[in-house]
Amino acid sequence: GMEVPLLEEAAERELALGRRPAWQFALARMRLELSLLRSQLKLFVAAVVGLLYGAMMVFRNLAFWQYARSGAAAGLEARLQDAGFAALPDLEGAQWNWVGDLPIYIVNSLLLAMGVWSLRSPPGGNVLHKPFMVNILLRYVSVLTLGHTVRFVTYISTVYPGSSEACLDPEVTQGAPTSLVEALFKR
Protein backbone atom coordinates (compact mmCIF):
# COMPACT_ATOMS: atom_id res chain seq x y z
CA GLY A 1 0.00 0.00 0.00
CA MET A 2 1.16 3.40 1.05
CA GLU A 3 4.32 2.42 2.86
CA VAL A 4 6.28 1.55 -0.31
CA PRO A 5 6.07 5.05 -1.87
CA LEU A 6 6.98 6.58 1.50
CA LEU A 7 10.00 4.29 1.80
CA GLU A 8 11.02 5.02 -1.79
CA GLU A 9 10.78 8.77 -1.13
CA ALA A 10 12.85 8.41 2.04
CA ALA A 11 15.41 6.30 0.19
CA GLU A 12 15.66 8.88 -2.60
CA ARG A 13 16.26 11.64 -0.02
CA GLU A 14 18.99 9.56 1.58
CA LEU A 15 20.62 8.77 -1.76
CA ALA A 16 20.49 12.44 -2.83
CA LEU A 17 23.05 13.12 -0.12
CA GLY A 18 25.58 11.07 -2.10
CA ARG A 19 27.99 8.41 -0.94
CA ARG A 20 28.61 8.75 2.77
CA PRO A 21 30.67 7.06 5.45
CA ALA A 22 29.35 3.77 6.83
CA TRP A 23 28.09 5.28 10.10
CA GLN A 24 25.98 7.83 8.20
CA PHE A 25 24.53 5.08 6.05
CA ALA A 26 23.73 3.07 9.19
CA LEU A 27 21.92 6.06 10.72
CA ALA A 28 19.96 6.61 7.51
CA ARG A 29 19.12 2.91 7.42
CA MET A 30 17.91 3.02 11.05
CA ARG A 31 15.64 5.95 10.16
CA LEU A 32 14.15 3.86 7.35
CA GLU A 33 13.76 0.89 9.70
CA LEU A 34 11.91 3.09 12.24
CA SER A 35 9.66 4.42 9.48
CA LEU A 36 8.88 0.86 8.42
CA LEU A 37 8.26 -0.18 12.03
CA ARG A 38 5.78 2.69 12.48
CA SER A 39 3.91 1.61 9.36
CA GLN A 40 3.77 -2.05 10.50
CA LEU A 41 3.36 -1.51 14.24
CA LYS A 42 -0.14 -3.02 14.42
CA LEU A 43 1.04 -6.24 12.77
CA PHE A 44 4.11 -6.38 15.01
CA VAL A 45 2.09 -5.85 18.21
CA ALA A 46 -0.47 -8.47 17.12
CA ALA A 47 2.27 -11.03 16.46
CA VAL A 48 4.06 -10.34 19.77
CA VAL A 49 0.81 -10.45 21.78
CA GLY A 50 -0.17 -13.65 19.97
CA LEU A 51 3.17 -15.18 20.90
CA LEU A 52 3.49 -13.97 24.50
CA TYR A 53 -0.14 -14.21 25.60
CA GLY A 54 -1.63 -16.84 23.32
CA ALA A 55 1.14 -19.28 22.62
CA MET A 56 3.21 -19.02 25.78
CA MET A 57 0.41 -18.65 28.32
CA VAL A 58 -3.10 -19.55 27.20
CA PHE A 59 -2.17 -22.51 24.98
CA ARG A 60 0.08 -23.95 27.68
CA ASN A 61 -2.57 -23.51 30.37
CA LEU A 62 -5.29 -25.02 28.18
CA ALA A 63 -3.10 -28.05 27.52
CA PHE A 64 -2.54 -28.60 31.26
CA TRP A 65 -6.23 -27.98 32.02
CA GLN A 66 -7.30 -30.48 29.35
CA TYR A 67 -4.71 -32.96 30.62
CA ALA A 68 -5.99 -32.67 34.20
CA ARG A 69 -9.60 -33.12 33.05
CA SER A 70 -8.72 -36.24 31.05
CA GLY A 71 -8.07 -38.34 34.14
CA ALA A 72 -4.53 -39.09 32.97
CA ALA A 73 -3.13 -36.80 35.66
CA ALA A 74 -4.71 -39.03 38.30
CA GLY A 75 -3.06 -42.08 36.74
CA LEU A 76 -6.33 -43.56 35.51
CA GLU A 77 -4.98 -44.30 32.06
CA ALA A 78 -1.58 -45.11 30.60
CA ARG A 79 0.21 -42.11 29.08
CA LEU A 80 1.36 -41.73 25.52
CA GLN A 81 4.92 -42.82 24.88
CA ASP A 82 7.43 -40.22 23.75
CA ALA A 83 9.52 -41.65 20.90
CA GLY A 84 12.16 -38.91 21.22
CA PHE A 85 12.94 -39.77 24.83
CA ALA A 86 13.04 -43.47 23.99
CA ALA A 87 15.38 -43.02 21.00
CA LEU A 88 17.87 -40.49 22.37
CA PRO A 89 20.09 -41.18 25.35
CA ASP A 90 19.56 -39.05 28.43
CA LEU A 91 22.30 -36.44 28.84
CA GLU A 92 22.77 -36.25 32.57
CA GLY A 93 24.75 -33.61 34.38
CA ALA A 94 24.95 -29.84 34.38
CA GLN A 95 27.58 -29.80 31.62
CA TRP A 96 24.86 -30.86 29.08
CA ASN A 97 22.17 -28.28 29.98
CA TRP A 98 23.18 -26.02 27.08
CA VAL A 99 22.52 -28.67 24.41
CA GLY A 100 18.74 -28.20 24.56
CA ASP A 101 19.07 -24.46 24.03
CA LEU A 102 21.60 -24.68 21.20
CA PRO A 103 19.10 -24.36 18.30
CA ILE A 104 17.59 -21.14 19.67
CA TYR A 105 21.07 -19.70 20.30
CA ILE A 106 21.95 -20.40 16.66
CA VAL A 107 18.72 -18.84 15.34
CA ASN A 108 19.08 -15.76 17.56
CA SER A 109 22.73 -15.35 16.53
CA LEU A 110 21.69 -15.48 12.87
CA LEU A 111 18.99 -12.86 13.51
CA LEU A 112 21.52 -10.59 15.20
CA ALA A 113 23.98 -11.07 12.33
CA MET A 114 21.25 -10.24 9.77
CA GLY A 115 20.37 -7.11 11.74
CA VAL A 116 23.96 -5.90 11.78
CA TRP A 117 24.40 -6.87 8.11
CA SER A 118 21.32 -4.83 7.13
CA LEU A 119 23.04 -1.67 8.45
CA ARG A 120 25.99 -2.07 6.05
CA SER A 121 26.10 0.02 2.91
CA PRO A 122 25.20 -2.07 -0.15
CA PRO A 123 27.07 -1.79 -3.44
CA GLY A 124 25.68 1.20 -5.30
CA GLY A 125 24.30 2.69 -2.11
CA ASN A 126 20.65 1.77 -2.79
CA VAL A 127 19.08 1.29 0.63
CA LEU A 128 15.98 -0.45 -0.73
CA HIS A 129 17.89 -3.40 -2.20
CA LYS A 130 18.59 -4.92 1.19
CA PRO A 131 16.27 -6.83 3.51
CA PHE A 132 14.84 -4.69 6.29
CA MET A 133 15.37 -5.92 9.86
CA VAL A 134 11.80 -4.96 10.78
CA ASN A 135 10.49 -7.33 8.10
CA ILE A 136 12.84 -10.09 9.23
CA LEU A 137 11.72 -9.75 12.87
CA LEU A 138 8.03 -9.53 11.93
CA ARG A 139 8.28 -12.73 9.90
CA TYR A 140 10.28 -14.47 12.64
CA VAL A 141 7.73 -13.63 15.35
CA SER A 142 4.82 -14.49 13.03
CA VAL A 143 6.29 -17.90 12.15
CA LEU A 144 7.09 -18.57 15.82
CA THR A 145 3.48 -17.73 16.75
CA LEU A 146 2.13 -19.88 13.93
CA GLY A 147 4.39 -22.78 14.95
CA HIS A 148 3.21 -22.62 18.57
CA THR A 149 -0.41 -22.45 17.39
CA VAL A 150 -0.03 -25.54 15.20
CA ARG A 151 1.77 -27.31 18.04
CA PHE A 152 -1.13 -26.47 20.39
CA VAL A 153 -3.77 -27.63 17.91
CA THR A 154 -1.99 -30.93 17.33
CA TYR A 155 -1.52 -31.50 21.07
CA ILE A 156 -5.03 -30.53 22.12
CA SER A 157 -6.55 -32.71 19.39
CA THR A 158 -4.43 -35.75 20.35
CA VAL A 159 -6.38 -38.71 21.64
CA TYR A 160 -6.02 -38.96 25.40
CA PRO A 161 -4.41 -39.85 27.77
CA GLY A 162 -1.93 -37.01 27.33
CA SER A 163 1.77 -36.34 27.52
CA SER A 164 4.61 -38.63 28.26
CA GLU A 165 5.90 -38.64 31.84
CA ALA A 166 9.15 -37.10 30.57
CA CYS A 167 7.26 -33.98 29.43
CA LEU A 168 5.57 -33.31 32.76
CA ASP A 169 7.37 -31.22 35.33
CA PRO A 170 5.77 -31.89 38.74
CA GLU A 171 6.19 -28.25 39.83
CA VAL A 172 4.31 -27.06 36.75
CA THR A 173 1.54 -29.67 36.77
CA GLN A 174 0.73 -29.05 40.45
CA GLY A 175 -0.11 -25.43 39.64
CA ALA A 176 -2.15 -26.32 36.56
CA PRO A 177 -5.32 -24.30 35.99
CA THR A 178 -8.50 -25.86 37.35
CA SER A 179 -10.96 -23.97 35.16
CA LEU A 180 -11.20 -22.48 31.69
CA VAL A 181 -11.10 -18.94 33.17
CA GLU A 182 -7.86 -19.75 35.02
CA ALA A 183 -6.43 -21.12 31.77
CA LEU A 184 -6.99 -17.72 30.13
CA PHE A 185 -5.59 -15.53 32.91
CA LYS A 186 -3.24 -17.54 35.14
CA ARG A 187 0.47 -17.15 34.50
Side-chain angles (χ1 to χ4, degrees):
M2 255 179 100
E3 68 206 32
V4 173
L6 293 175
L7 282 175
E8 287 175 356
E9 289 172 18
E12 286 175 15
R13 282 194 309 271
E14 296 299 332
L15 288 175
L17 298 174
R19 188 81 176 149
R20 294 163 293 172
W23 67 270
Q24 286 180 340
F25 178 85
L27 286 176
R29 180 62 187 222
M30 284 191 273
R31 284 194 294 270
L32 286 173
E33 293 279 357
L34 286 173
S35 172
L36 187 60
L37 179 62
R38 280 193 297 271
S39 69
Q40 295 183 355
L41 194 57
K42 289 179 185 176
L43 291 172
F44 215 87
V45 168
V48 169
V49 167
L51 179 64
L52 296 179
Y53 175 71
M56 294 186 167
M57 189 177 97
V58 174
F59 292 170
R60 179 180 160 273
N61 285 344
L62 285 173
F64 279 123
W65 177 64
Q66 187 76 341
Y67 172 75
R69 286 189 33 210
S70 73
L76 301 177
E77 302 176 39
R79 291 195 175 107
L80 296 174
Q81 296 302 309
D82 192 324
F85 277 91
L88 298 173
D90 193 19
L91 299 174
E92 294 184 25
Q95 73 269 19
W96 295 107
N97 288 346
W98 61 274
V99 173
D101 294 329
L102 188 60
I104 198 69
Y105 289 144
I106 292 170
V107 169
N108 288 340
S109 297
L110 288 173
L111 276 172
L112 181 63
M114 283 188 282
V116 170
W117 192 259
S118 72
L119 296 177
R120 288 187 62 241
S121 177
N126 189 346
V127 293
L128 291 178
H129 285 151
K130 294 184 63 130
F132 286 92
M133 190 61 195
V134 169
N135 290 338
I136 293 169
L137 287 176
L138 179 61
R139 289 179 181 133
Y140 175 71
V141 172
S142 297
V143 167
L144 203 55
T145 303
L146 180 64
H148 278 290
T149 303
V150 169
R151 177 182 178 206
F152 168 73
V153 169
T154 56
Y155 177 83
I156 210 72
S157 64
T158 299
V159 178
Y160 298 116
S163 295
S164 169
E165 186 70 38
C167 297
L168 298 172
D169 182 4
E171 292 178 13
V172 174
T173 54
Q174 288 174 356
T178 56
S179 70
L180 185 57
V181 173
E182 269 191 32
L184 296 175
F185 300 106
K186 184 179 181 180
R187 182 74 177 127

